[in-house]
PDB file of all heavy atoms in Angstrom:
ATOM      1  N   ALA A 666      -1.330  13.851   7.840  1.00  0.00           N
ATOM      2  CA  ALA A 666      -2.377  13.200   7.052  1.00  0.00           C
ATOM      3  C   ALA A 666      -2.428  11.732   7.439  1.00  0.00           C
ATOM      4  O   ALA A 666      -1.400  11.055   7.517  1.00  0.00           O
ATOM      5  CB  ALA A 666      -2.101  13.337   5.550  1.00  0.00           C
ATOM      6  N   TYR A 667      -3.615  11.252   7.702  1.00  0.00           N
ATOM      7  CA  TYR A 667      -3.834   9.861   8.124  1.00  0.00           C
ATOM      8  C   TYR A 667      -3.625   8.948   6.924  1.00  0.00           C
ATOM      9  O   TYR A 667      -4.414   8.962   5.984  1.00  0.00           O
ATOM     10  CB  TYR A 667      -5.247   9.734   8.668  1.00  0.00           C
ATOM     11  CG  TYR A 667      -5.546   8.440   9.380  1.00  0.00           C
ATOM     12  CD1 TYR A 667      -5.215   8.280  10.720  1.00  0.00           C
ATOM     13  CD2 TYR A 667      -6.196   7.402   8.724  1.00  0.00           C
ATOM     14  CE1 TYR A 667      -5.519   7.103  11.389  1.00  0.00           C
ATOM     15  CE2 TYR A 667      -6.508   6.226   9.381  1.00  0.00           C
ATOM     16  CZ  TYR A 667      -6.168   6.083  10.714  1.00  0.00           C
ATOM     17  OH  TYR A 667      -6.468   4.899  11.371  1.00  0.00           O
ATOM     18  N   HIS A 668      -2.574   8.146   6.960  1.00  0.00           N
ATOM     19  CA  HIS A 668      -2.160   7.377   5.788  1.00  0.00           C
ATOM     20  C   HIS A 668      -1.748   5.988   6.249  1.00  0.00           C
ATOM     21  O   HIS A 668      -0.640   5.783   6.751  1.00  0.00           O
ATOM     22  CB  HIS A 668      -0.996   8.091   5.095  1.00  0.00           C
ATOM     23  CG  HIS A 668      -0.756   7.620   3.697  1.00  0.00           C
ATOM     24  ND1 HIS A 668       0.048   8.302   2.816  1.00  0.00           N
ATOM     25  CD2 HIS A 668      -1.205   6.536   3.012  1.00  0.00           C
ATOM     26  CE1 HIS A 668       0.079   7.666   1.662  1.00  0.00           C
ATOM     27  NE2 HIS A 668      -0.674   6.591   1.758  1.00  0.00           N
ATOM     28  N   THR A 669      -2.634   5.017   6.070  1.00  0.00           N
ATOM     29  CA  THR A 669      -2.424   3.677   6.623  1.00  0.00           C
ATOM     30  C   THR A 669      -1.219   2.969   6.024  1.00  0.00           C
ATOM     31  O   THR A 669      -0.536   2.201   6.712  1.00  0.00           O
ATOM     32  CB  THR A 669      -3.700   2.831   6.431  1.00  0.00           C
ATOM     33  OG1 THR A 669      -4.737   3.391   7.237  1.00  0.00           O
ATOM     34  CG2 THR A 669      -3.474   1.394   6.856  1.00  0.00           C
ATOM     35  N   ALA A 670      -0.927   3.200   4.753  1.00  0.00           N
ATOM     36  CA  ALA A 670       0.197   2.514   4.118  1.00  0.00           C
ATOM     37  C   ALA A 670       1.503   2.759   4.870  1.00  0.00           C
ATOM     38  O   ALA A 670       2.326   1.852   5.034  1.00  0.00           O
ATOM     39  CB  ALA A 670       0.336   2.962   2.667  1.00  0.00           C
ATOM     40  N   LEU A 671       1.690   3.978   5.353  1.00  0.00           N
ATOM     41  CA  LEU A 671       2.934   4.308   6.042  1.00  0.00           C
ATOM     42  C   LEU A 671       3.028   3.627   7.397  1.00  0.00           C
ATOM     43  O   LEU A 671       4.107   3.266   7.863  1.00  0.00           O
ATOM     44  CB  LEU A 671       3.078   5.820   6.193  1.00  0.00           C
ATOM     45  CG  LEU A 671       3.550   6.576   4.938  1.00  0.00           C
ATOM     46  CD1 LEU A 671       4.843   6.006   4.419  1.00  0.00           C
ATOM     47  CD2 LEU A 671       2.500   6.600   3.846  1.00  0.00           C
ATOM     48  N   TYR A 672       1.870   3.447   8.036  1.00  0.00           N
ATOM     49  CA  TYR A 672       1.827   2.657   9.275  1.00  0.00           C
ATOM     50  C   TYR A 672       2.177   1.199   8.992  1.00  0.00           C
ATOM     51  O   TYR A 672       2.979   0.573   9.693  1.00  0.00           O
ATOM     52  CB  TYR A 672       0.447   2.771   9.918  1.00  0.00           C
ATOM     53  CG  TYR A 672      -0.047   1.493  10.553  1.00  0.00           C
ATOM     54  CD1 TYR A 672       0.514   1.028  11.744  1.00  0.00           C
ATOM     55  CD2 TYR A 672      -1.055   0.732   9.949  1.00  0.00           C
ATOM     56  CE1 TYR A 672       0.070  -0.154  12.326  1.00  0.00           C
ATOM     57  CE2 TYR A 672      -1.505  -0.440  10.522  1.00  0.00           C
ATOM     58  CZ  TYR A 672      -0.937  -0.887  11.711  1.00  0.00           C
ATOM     59  OH  TYR A 672      -1.365  -2.063  12.270  1.00  0.00           O
ATOM     60  N   THR A 673       1.573   0.637   7.937  1.00  0.00           N
ATOM     61  CA  THR A 673       1.818  -0.764   7.597  1.00  0.00           C
ATOM     62  C   THR A 673       3.306  -1.027   7.370  1.00  0.00           C
ATOM     63  O   THR A 673       3.845  -2.060   7.775  1.00  0.00           O
ATOM     64  CB  THR A 673       1.023  -1.162   6.346  1.00  0.00           C
ATOM     65  OG1 THR A 673      -0.370  -0.930   6.576  1.00  0.00           O
ATOM     66  CG2 THR A 673       1.238  -2.624   5.998  1.00  0.00           C
ATOM     67  N   LEU A 674       3.980  -0.082   6.753  1.00  0.00           N
ATOM     68  CA  LEU A 674       5.410  -0.249   6.472  1.00  0.00           C
ATOM     69  C   LEU A 674       6.266  -0.234   7.735  1.00  0.00           C
ATOM     70  O   LEU A 674       7.442  -0.606   7.678  1.00  0.00           O
ATOM     71  CB  LEU A 674       5.866   0.830   5.498  1.00  0.00           C
ATOM     72  CG  LEU A 674       5.373   0.629   4.055  1.00  0.00           C
ATOM     73  CD1 LEU A 674       5.609   1.871   3.215  1.00  0.00           C
ATOM     74  CD2 LEU A 674       6.058  -0.584   3.424  1.00  0.00           C
ATOM     75  N   LEU A 675       5.708   0.166   8.868  1.00  0.00           N
ATOM     76  CA  LEU A 675       6.457   0.057  10.122  1.00  0.00           C
ATOM     77  C   LEU A 675       6.725  -1.400  10.475  1.00  0.00           C
ATOM     78  O   LEU A 675       7.700  -1.705  11.188  1.00  0.00           O
ATOM     79  CB  LEU A 675       5.691   0.728  11.264  1.00  0.00           C
ATOM     80  CG  LEU A 675       5.791   2.249  11.335  1.00  0.00           C
ATOM     81  CD1 LEU A 675       4.805   2.801  12.360  1.00  0.00           C
ATOM     82  CD2 LEU A 675       7.214   2.695  11.681  1.00  0.00           C
ATOM     83  N   ASP A 676       5.870  -2.315   9.996  1.00  0.00           N
ATOM     84  CA  ASP A 676       6.142  -3.735  10.224  1.00  0.00           C
ATOM     85  C   ASP A 676       7.483  -4.123   9.606  1.00  0.00           C
ATOM     86  O   ASP A 676       8.261  -4.883  10.193  1.00  0.00           O
ATOM     87  CB  ASP A 676       5.026  -4.588   9.621  1.00  0.00           C
ATOM     88  CG  ASP A 676       3.707  -4.400  10.350  1.00  0.00           C
ATOM     89  OD1 ASP A 676       3.734  -3.883  11.475  1.00  0.00           O
ATOM     90  OD2 ASP A 676       2.658  -4.759   9.788  1.00  0.00           O
ATOM     91  N   GLY A 677       7.757  -3.602   8.405  1.00  0.00           N
ATOM     92  CA  GLY A 677       9.046  -3.864   7.772  1.00  0.00           C
ATOM     93  C   GLY A 677      10.190  -3.252   8.541  1.00  0.00           C
ATOM     94  O   GLY A 677      11.289  -3.829   8.625  1.00  0.00           O
ATOM     95  N   VAL A 678       9.965  -2.078   9.115  1.00  0.00           N
ATOM     96  CA  VAL A 678      10.993  -1.444   9.946  1.00  0.00           C
ATOM     97  C   VAL A 678      11.309  -2.318  11.151  1.00  0.00           C
ATOM     98  O   VAL A 678      12.479  -2.545  11.487  1.00  0.00           O
ATOM     99  CB  VAL A 678      10.514  -0.043  10.403  1.00  0.00           C
ATOM    100  CG1 VAL A 678      11.465   0.540  11.440  1.00  0.00           C
ATOM    101  CG2 VAL A 678      10.401   0.895   9.208  1.00  0.00           C
ATOM    102  N   ILE A 679      10.272  -2.843  11.802  1.00  0.00           N
ATOM    103  CA  ILE A 679      10.466  -3.715  12.963  1.00  0.00           C
ATOM    104  C   ILE A 679      11.192  -4.985  12.561  1.00  0.00           C
ATOM    105  O   ILE A 679      12.162  -5.412  13.213  1.00  0.00           O
ATOM    106  CB  ILE A 679       9.107  -4.055  13.615  1.00  0.00           C
ATOM    107  CG1 ILE A 679       8.485  -2.800  14.230  1.00  0.00           C
ATOM    108  CG2 ILE A 679       9.262  -5.143  14.674  1.00  0.00           C
ATOM    109  CD1 ILE A 679       7.030  -2.970  14.655  1.00  0.00           C
ATOM    110  N   GLU A 680      10.737  -5.589  11.488  1.00  0.00           N
ATOM    111  CA  GLU A 680      11.314  -6.866  11.068  1.00  0.00           C
ATOM    112  C   GLU A 680      12.765  -6.728  10.632  1.00  0.00           C
ATOM    113  O   GLU A 680      13.627  -7.540  11.008  1.00  0.00           O
ATOM    114  CB  GLU A 680      10.464  -7.461   9.950  1.00  0.00           C
ATOM    115  CG  GLU A 680       9.080  -7.898  10.435  1.00  0.00           C
ATOM    116  CD  GLU A 680       8.190  -8.420   9.333  1.00  0.00           C
ATOM    117  OE1 GLU A 680       8.554  -8.246   8.145  1.00  0.00           O
ATOM    118  OE2 GLU A 680       7.124  -9.000   9.645  1.00  0.00           O
ATOM    119  N   ASN A 681      13.075  -5.693   9.851  1.00  0.00           N
ATOM    120  CA  ASN A 681      14.430  -5.540   9.341  1.00  0.00           C
ATOM    121  C   ASN A 681      15.398  -5.027  10.398  1.00  0.00           C
ATOM    122  O   ASN A 681      16.615  -5.220  10.273  1.00  0.00           O
ATOM    123  CB  ASN A 681      14.437  -4.616   8.124  1.00  0.00           C
ATOM    124  CG  ASN A 681      13.726  -5.235   6.936  1.00  0.00           C
ATOM    125  OD1 ASN A 681      13.747  -6.443   6.749  1.00  0.00           O
ATOM    126  ND2 ASN A 681      13.062  -4.411   6.136  1.00  0.00           N
ATOM    127  N   SER A 682      14.886  -4.365  11.439  1.00  0.00           N
ATOM    128  CA  SER A 682      15.779  -3.902  12.503  1.00  0.00           C
ATOM    129  C   SER A 682      16.034  -4.988  13.544  1.00  0.00           C
ATOM    130  O   SER A 682      17.143  -5.107  14.065  1.00  0.00           O
ATOM    131  CB  SER A 682      15.195  -2.657  13.179  1.00  0.00           C
ATOM    132  OG  SER A 682      13.958  -2.936  13.795  1.00  0.00           O
ATOM    133  N   THR A 683      15.009  -5.788  13.850  1.00  0.00           N
ATOM    134  CA  THR A 683      15.155  -6.814  14.896  1.00  0.00           C
ATOM    135  C   THR A 683      15.597  -8.159  14.348  1.00  0.00           C
ATOM    136  O   THR A 683      16.080  -9.006  15.108  1.00  0.00           O
ATOM    137  CB  THR A 683      13.819  -7.021  15.633  1.00  0.00           C
ATOM    138  OG1 THR A 683      12.848  -7.550  14.718  1.00  0.00           O
ATOM    139  CG2 THR A 683      13.321  -5.712  16.228  1.00  0.00           C
ATOM    140  N   GLY A 684      15.409  -8.391  13.055  1.00  0.00           N
ATOM    141  CA  GLY A 684      15.722  -9.694  12.486  1.00  0.00           C
ATOM    142  C   GLY A 684      14.658 -10.739  12.778  1.00  0.00           C
ATOM    143  O   GLY A 684      14.873 -11.934  12.572  1.00  0.00           O
ATOM    144  N   GLN A 685      13.486 -10.291  13.285  1.00  0.00           N
ATOM    145  CA  GLN A 685      12.381 -11.193  13.583  1.00  0.00           C
ATOM    146  C   GLN A 685      11.132 -10.713  12.841  1.00  0.00           C
ATOM    147  O   GLN A 685      10.987  -9.521  12.580  1.00  0.00           O
ATOM    148  CB  GLN A 685      12.086 -11.213  15.085  1.00  0.00           C
ATOM    149  CG  GLN A 685      13.249 -11.623  15.959  1.00  0.00           C
ATOM    150  CD  GLN A 685      12.892 -11.534  17.435  1.00  0.00           C
ATOM    151  OE1 GLN A 685      11.895 -12.107  17.889  1.00  0.00           O
ATOM    152  NE2 GLN A 685      13.698 -10.830  18.203  1.00  0.00           N
ATOM    153  N   SER A 686      10.239 -11.654  12.540  1.00  0.00           N
ATOM    154  CA  SER A 686       8.958 -11.228  11.982  1.00  0.00           C
ATOM    155  C   SER A 686       8.200 -10.462  13.051  1.00  0.00           C
ATOM    156  O   SER A 686       8.471 -10.590  14.248  1.00  0.00           O
ATOM    157  CB  SER A 686       8.139 -12.437  11.528  1.00  0.00           C
ATOM    158  OG  SER A 686       7.640 -13.146  12.649  1.00  0.00           O
ATOM    159  N   VAL A 687       7.229  -9.678  12.621  1.00  0.00           N
ATOM    160  CA  VAL A 687       6.474  -8.892  13.589  1.00  0.00           C
ATOM    161  C   VAL A 687       5.725  -9.797  14.559  1.00  0.00           C
ATOM    162  O   VAL A 687       5.589  -9.473  15.748  1.00  0.00           O
ATOM    163  CB  VAL A 687       5.515  -7.912  12.864  1.00  0.00           C
ATOM    164  CG1 VAL A 687       4.407  -8.650  12.131  1.00  0.00           C
ATOM    165  CG2 VAL A 687       4.942  -6.881  13.830  1.00  0.00           C
ATOM    166  N   ASN A 688       5.275 -10.968  14.095  1.00  0.00           N
ATOM    167  CA  ASN A 688       4.605 -11.906  15.000  1.00  0.00           C
ATOM    168  C   ASN A 688       5.583 -12.542  15.986  1.00  0.00           C
ATOM    169  O   ASN A 688       5.245 -12.735  17.159  1.00  0.00           O
ATOM    170  CB  ASN A 688       3.886 -13.000  14.198  1.00  0.00           C
ATOM    171  CG  ASN A 688       2.524 -12.541  13.684  1.00  0.00           C
ATOM    172  OD1 ASN A 688       1.770 -11.897  14.398  1.00  0.00           O
ATOM    173  ND2 ASN A 688       2.225 -12.857  12.437  1.00  0.00           N
ATOM    174  N   GLN A 689       6.780 -12.861  15.533  1.00  0.00           N
ATOM    175  CA  GLN A 689       7.784 -13.409  16.446  1.00  0.00           C
ATOM    176  C   GLN A 689       8.163 -12.388  17.517  1.00  0.00           C
ATOM    177  O   GLN A 689       8.275 -12.732  18.701  1.00  0.00           O
ATOM    178  CB  GLN A 689       9.041 -13.818  15.662  1.00  0.00           C
ATOM    179  CG  GLN A 689       8.870 -15.041  14.787  1.00  0.00           C
ATOM    180  CD  GLN A 689      10.073 -15.285  13.881  1.00  0.00           C
ATOM    181  OE1 GLN A 689      10.777 -14.344  13.492  1.00  0.00           O
ATOM    182  NE2 GLN A 689      10.300 -16.543  13.540  1.00  0.00           N
ATOM    183  N   TYR A 690       8.323 -11.149  17.101  1.00  0.00           N
ATOM    184  CA  TYR A 690       8.722 -10.114  18.045  1.00  0.00           C
ATOM    185  C   TYR A 690       7.595  -9.841  19.040  1.00  0.00           C
ATOM    186  O   TYR A 690       7.833  -9.714  20.250  1.00  0.00           O
ATOM    187  CB  TYR A 690       9.094  -8.837  17.290  1.00  0.00           C
ATOM    188  CG  TYR A 690       9.913  -7.864  18.114  1.00  0.00           C
ATOM    189  CD1 TYR A 690      11.154  -8.235  18.615  1.00  0.00           C
ATOM    190  CD2 TYR A 690       9.427  -6.591  18.391  1.00  0.00           C
ATOM    191  CE1 TYR A 690      11.905  -7.353  19.383  1.00  0.00           C
ATOM    192  CE2 TYR A 690      10.169  -5.702  19.152  1.00  0.00           C
ATOM    193  CZ  TYR A 690      11.412  -6.088  19.640  1.00  0.00           C
ATOM    194  OH  TYR A 690      12.144  -5.218  20.417  1.00  0.00           O
ATOM    195  N   PHE A 691       6.359  -9.798  18.560  1.00  0.00           N
ATOM    196  CA  PHE A 691       5.211  -9.620  19.450  1.00  0.00           C
ATOM    197  C   PHE A 691       5.136 -10.760  20.456  1.00  0.00           C
ATOM    198  O   PHE A 691       4.919 -10.534  21.663  1.00  0.00           O
ATOM    199  CB  PHE A 691       3.924  -9.544  18.632  1.00  0.00           C
ATOM    200  CG  PHE A 691       2.691  -9.863  19.422  1.00  0.00           C
ATOM    201  CD1 PHE A 691       2.156  -8.936  20.309  1.00  0.00           C
ATOM    202  CD2 PHE A 691       2.075 -11.112  19.293  1.00  0.00           C
ATOM    203  CE1 PHE A 691       1.030  -9.251  21.067  1.00  0.00           C
ATOM    204  CE2 PHE A 691       0.941 -11.413  20.038  1.00  0.00           C
ATOM    205  CZ  PHE A 691       0.424 -10.485  20.928  1.00  0.00           C
ATOM    206  N   THR A 692       5.302 -11.987  19.987  1.00  0.00           N
ATOM    207  CA  THR A 692       5.176 -13.150  20.868  1.00  0.00           C
ATOM    208  C   THR A 692       6.233 -13.145  21.962  1.00  0.00           C
ATOM    209  O   THR A 692       5.924 -13.348  23.142  1.00  0.00           O
ATOM    210  CB  THR A 692       5.268 -14.451  20.058  1.00  0.00           C
ATOM    211  OG1 THR A 692       4.185 -14.490  19.118  1.00  0.00           O
ATOM    212  CG2 THR A 692       5.198 -15.680  20.962  1.00  0.00           C
ATOM    213  N   SER A 693       7.479 -12.889  21.595  1.00  0.00           N
ATOM    214  CA  SER A 693       8.572 -12.967  22.569  1.00  0.00           C
ATOM    215  C   SER A 693       8.585 -11.800  23.541  1.00  0.00           C
ATOM    216  O   SER A 693       8.983 -11.961  24.699  1.00  0.00           O
ATOM    217  CB  SER A 693       9.920 -13.046  21.842  1.00  0.00           C
ATOM    218  OG  SER A 693      10.163 -11.862  21.087  1.00  0.00           O
TER     219      SER A 693
END
């Protein structure tokens, strides 16, 4: 089922796993 909220929460997965904000990780 297409559910945008669950996609949005991947940003938190990226941030909490890498220790960087999603913008910092994208930039670097």
Side-chain angles (χ1 to χ4, degrees):
Y667 191 84
H668 197 167
T669 294
L671 281 305
Y672 142 72
T673 302
L674 287 168
L675 281 170
D676 293 343
V678 171
I679 293 169
E680 292 177 348
N681 293 327
S682 62
T683 65
Q685 302 177 54
S686 73
V687 67
N688 278 318
Q689 289 172 331
Y690 198 61
F691 159 76
T692 298
S693 63

